[in-house]
Amino acid sequence: MLCTRLTNAHFITMDPDHPVAHDLGIWRGRIVGLDDAVTSLPAREVIDLQGATVLPGFIDSHVHLAWTGLKATTPSVAPCERVEDVLAVVEEAVSRKTSPGAWVDIAGYDQRALGRHLTAAELDRVSHGRKVFLMHDSGHACVVNSAVLDLLPADVRHADGYLAESAMGAARKLRPTYSQDELADAIAHAGRVCLSEGVTACAEAGIGGALFGHSPVELGAYQLVREQGRLPLRVQLMVAADTLHPVGSHEGDGIPRALDLGLRTGFGDDWLSVGALKLWTDGGMMARTAALSSPYHGMEHAGELQDDPELLADTIVDGHLAGWQLAVHAIGDRAADVALDALERAQRIRPRPDARHRVEHAGLIRPDQLPRFARLGAIAVVQPNFLRYFGDDYASIMGEDRAPWLYRGKGFLDHGITLVGSSDRPVTDGSPLRAIQFMVERASESGQVIGPDEGITVDEALRSYTVGGAFACHWDDSAGSLTPGKRADLVVLGDDPRRVSTSRIGDIEVVATFVDGRESDKAAL
């Protein structure tokens, strides 16, 4: 007997051997058959989906769940466009802190809306002795007041309270860590938001590191939320490369640096597992710190690498030798050169054809870099909604010649490179459907078309959030398509993305989300 049979639906399976179906059978959280194989079987529950469209659950391969949940409860200065308004929000947040030495976290900071960065002196006027930390929306910079600057080592660079990349990391280290209970609440909240958008599995893009780490025992918070029965979707955890350290393993293992006990990619189960090793090579375009091979249009600088390129490469190689899948953050084309050079060196030392190393973001990729991606088998994990919401700005700072290379689609596919869609939430909107719409039409919110030759088909975009995501996370044997034997994770939509006009894809209703064959409760959002 089936546990559940879903009937009277338009199933888009993403499986070329059985591309569409009308019935789907579920037993103990797995798909056991389609159409005639299950239609006549008895089931404990039969759900009539009344003609709805059903797809494999979306996989968001690059998210920050803890940050998303924490940001939701943090005072925000968005969408303030005047310095005075920002300072008013900060002063209000400061007034809620009773301890004179307390830290005051503020979210939503973006200098582009203000036309310049805030200064420490301006924050000092409203901080009343508290330590103020304004997090840049990109996650790659912050502005702090003098109470924080006074605690920083003398060699930490800043510009009137503005700190970027490693300097921001130094300021973050000063802040008291979050408790596991706080993180568990944040993770549970963010997971429910993902479910509401049809996401049934995701990859948390970096725990334990200086840039995005919220606690040195952050992995324990994920275990806690699962033990509490509040982990609403499947999560794969990328571990920050900062946590690697020298180990005295057998010389025959060839492992120079590792985590304790040799922990690496693949440890865990269907619900919570360790994924790739996360490495940052550069910053972000919002903060103008993505590393380019030539200066930003109209500016005199070309961004920055996170460290000396040889040191970055050594860490990439060591991670490969220790058996990790690698997820290398590289937004600018110069950073991509560093990543590709290091991956090539690593594979030359110890070939691992199915390592499935990933380049996270791949924001600006030159035409000459595409064949290298393909030769190395590197996976491109892009964030289409970056251009949907920030595309006008990004196109402007890249200039007419480079704008068509931004967050490519067709260029990757034409070279046989696995294309994976993701969100990087909470940096921007996490909706897969709105991202899929952009991947097809390449239009920003203002209507500006950016790199139209990089547009792909709806089917190709859907694959990037299902089949492609499963491949990137080594889940292709259990997720990504509605195939017998795979997990019964699926999303029910109010319309078929392949049949509506492209401009309507992002507005399609997510009617229901199923994980492990059970409809998830989104009422708690």
Side-chain angles (χ1 to χ4, degrees), residues 71 75-78 80 83 86 106-119 122-123 133-139 141-144 161-163 286:
K71 185 177 180 180
S76 176
V77 297
C80 297
V83 170
V86 171
I106 306 290
Y109 175 67
D110 187 342
Q111 85 286 352
R112 297 174 302 176
L114 305 176
R116 66 171 176 84
H117 282 295
L118 287 177
T119 67
E122 288 170 326
L123 291 178
F133 187 104
L134 268 74
M135 182 71 163
H136 195 279
D137 260 348
S138 68
C142 66
V143 178
V144 300
Y162 171 73
L163 302 101
M286 290 172 65

Side-chain angles (χ1 to χ4, degrees), residues 431-496:
S431 166
L433 287 170
R434 285 189 280 275
I436 287 164
Q437 177 177 324
F438 176 84
M439 295 175 88
V440 178
E441 64 182 8
R442 300 284 301 185
S444 71
E445 278 197 307
S446 73
Q448 179 179 355
V449 178
I450 302 163
D453 292 343
E454 290 295 325
I456 61 178
T457 68
V458 174
D459 277 332
E460 289 168 337
L462 290 172
R463 285 184 65 84
S464 78
Y465 268 93
T466 54
V467 176
F471 182 81
C473 294
H474 286 273
W475 284 332
D476 42 312
D477 62 343
S478 59
S481 65
L482 302 180
T483 302
K486 293 191 176 184
R487 305 167 185 159
D489 298 349
L490 47 91
V491 56
V492 182
L493 302 178
D495 217 328
D496 183 347

Side-chain angles (χ1 to χ4, degrees), residues 122-441:
E122 288 170 326
L123 291 178
D124 289 345
R125 298 205 310 262
V126 296
S127 55
H128 304 295
R130 277 69 169 180
K131 303 176 185 70
V132 177
F133 187 104
L134 268 74
M135 182 71 163
H136 195 279
D137 260 348
S138 68
H140 287 270
C142 66
V143 178
V144 300
N145 66 342
S146 296
V148 177
L149 292 178
D150 290 344
L151 300 175
L152 288 170
D155 61 347
V156 174
R157 296 179 302 159
H158 71 90
D160 295 326
Y162 171 73
L163 302 101
E165 307 304 342
S166 59
M168 182 202 72
R172 285 181 66 93
K173 287 181 180 178
L174 298 173
R175 189 203 178 282
T177 59
Y178 292 94
S179 71
Q180 287 197 349
D181 284 334
E182 289 176 299
L183 292 175
D185 288 344
I187 293 160
H189 172 84
R192 294 193 299 271
V193 174
C194 289
L195 284 180
S196 73
E197 296 172 340
V199 176
T200 58
C202 68
E204 163 66 59
I207 63 169
L211 282 182
F212 293 102
H214 302 289
S215 164
V217 290
E218 193 172 353
L219 192 150
Y222 283 88
Q223 289 183 285
L224 177 62
V225 75
R226 187 187 176 194
E227 290 164 358
Q228 294 171 338
R230 296 195 296 150
L231 187 65
L233 76 170
R234 306 181 196 280
V235 180
Q236 187 178 88
L237 303 171
M238 298 185 204
V239 177
D242 301 15
T243 57
L244 289 184
H245 56 80
V247 291
S249 61
H250 190 282
E251 64 178 21
D253 293 335
I255 299 175
R257 282 188 280 176
L259 297 189
D260 290 334
L261 304 179
L263 186 73
R264 59 178 172 83
T265 303
F267 185 81
D269 58 24
D270 281 352
W271 279 93
L272 184 63
S273 60
V274 174
L277 186 72
K278 177 71 180 294
L279 307 98
W280 284 265
T281 62
D282 69 344
M285 287 186 185
M286 290 172 65
R288 312 313 196 220
T289 54
L292 311 180
S293 56
S294 57
Y296 287 88
H297 183 68
M299 303 179 195
E300 296 180 355
H301 71 92
E304 60 186 90
L305 295 172
Q306 291 284 353
D307 208 331
D308 177 84
E310 280 303 311
L311 292 177
L312 293 172
D314 287 346
T315 303
I316 290 171
V317 171
D318 285 355
H320 173 89
L321 295 178
W324 287 89
Q325 178 191 24
L326 304 176
V328 185
H329 168 115
I331 292 184
D333 60 327
R334 183 185 175 206
D337 280 334
V338 171
L340 295 172
D341 287 348
L343 292 176
E344 186 171 18
R345 176 176 142 202
Q347 291 284 16
R348 188 167 57 246
I349 296 170
R350 182 177 297 169
R352 289 173 52 205
D354 195 37
R356 303 189 193 182
H357 294 323
R358 308 158 42 138
V359 176
E360 307 297 306
H361 307 296
L364 186 76
I365 301 300
R366 303 186 308 269
D368 65 286
Q369 292 173 318
L370 292 170
R372 293 195 69 196
F373 261 83
R375 286 197 306 272
L376 290 168
I379 297 169
V381 183
V382 301
Q383 296 75 42
N385 275 337
F386 277 16
L387 290 191
R388 179 180 174 88
Y389 294 96
F390 312 139
D392 295 354
D393 175 56
Y394 285 13
S396 173
I397 60 175
M398 288 303 106
E400 185 177 347
D401 291 342
R402 292 180 294 183
W405 306 343
L406 288 165
Y407 293 91
R408 291 177 179 271
K410 191 172 186 295
F412 287 126
L413 294 179
D414 284 352
H415 284 79
I417 299 162
T418 298
L419 175 67
V420 176
S422 66
S423 69
D424 202 16
R425 71 176 75 226
V427 177
T428 191
D429 181 8
S431 166
L433 287 170
R434 285 189 280 275
I436 287 164
Q437 177 177 324
F438 176 84
M439 295 175 88
V440 178
E441 64 182 8

Side-chain angles (χ1 to χ4, degrees), residues 17-87:
D17 293 332
H18 196 145
V20 294
H22 53 77
D23 275 23
L24 181 145
I26 299 169
W27 186 69
R28 294 188 177 180
R30 295 274 172 166
I31 299 167
V32 295
L34 301 166
D35 294 341
D36 293 345
V38 298
T39 299
S40 61
L41 295 179
R44 294 192 186 97
E45 180 182 32
V46 177
I47 300 177
D48 185 342
L49 293 176
Q50 301 180 358
T53 295
V54 182
L55 282 159
F58 296 128
I59 297 171
D60 193 336
S61 299
H62 186 117
V63 304
H64 299 280
L65 289 182
W67 180 17
T68 297
L70 293 169
K71 185 177 180 180
T73 58
T74 300
S76 176
V77 297
C80 297
E81 296 183 354
R82 300 189 314 152
V83 170
E84 294 79 6
D85 295 335
V86 171
L87 295 177

